[in-house]
């Protein structure tokens, strides 16, 4: 029961992170309310990652690796929590 709750909470947060990344591609950061609401949940984690891991340059654009690193970190954390909550058989 608790393991299912943890799994669903991580899945919901990851889905929101995906939505935030996609909104970043298409919606203006200042004008759009959905993007601003999602930023409240994800920028506190993405900001420190961005400051420590600079993205590679691709011409004039900089590729931001922070969402990918956050996805990986969430997967590791979820795996650790679920391994504690669900003992091996």
């Amino acid at each position: 029961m608790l393991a299912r709750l943890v799994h669903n909470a991580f899945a919901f947060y990851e889905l929101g992170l995906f939505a935030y990344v996609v909104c970043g591609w298409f919606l203006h950061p200042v004008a759009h309310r959905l993007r601003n609401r999602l930023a409240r949940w994800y920028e506190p984690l993405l900001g420190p990652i961005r400051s420590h891991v600079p993205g590679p340059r691709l011409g004039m654009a900089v590729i931001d690796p922070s969402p990918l690193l956050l996805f990986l970190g969430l997967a590791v954390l979820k795996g650790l929590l679920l391994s504690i909550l669900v003992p091996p058989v």
Side-chain angles (χ1 to χ4, degrees):
M1 170 84 172
L2 184 58
R4 184 178 299 266
L5 178 68
V6 168
H7 175 75
N8 289 340
F10 272 91
F12 183 74
Y13 194 80
E14 290 166 353
L15 182 64
L17 177 59
F18 180 76
Y20 180 64
V21 170
V22 172
C23 285
W25 294 338
F26 298 109
L27 303 177
H28 192 272
V30 177
H32 205 274
R33 290 180 8 209
L34 172 64
R35 188 166 190 268
N36 291 335
R37 287 186 181 155
L38 289 172
R40 287 187 220 148
W41 286 93
Y42 298 103
E43 280 304 319
L45 295 175
L46 291 171
I49 296 172
R50 279 191 197 109
S51 67
H52 293 298
V53 181
R57 294 188 84 52
L58 185 64
M60 292 296 292
V62 177
I63 298 172
D64 184 12
S66 61
L68 177 62
L69 293 173
L70 183 55
F71 273 119
L72 292 173
L74 289 171
V76 168
L77 183 60
K78 179 173 72 172
L80 287 172
L81 285 174
L82 290 177
S83 69
I84 292 169
L85 293 173
V86 179
V89 177

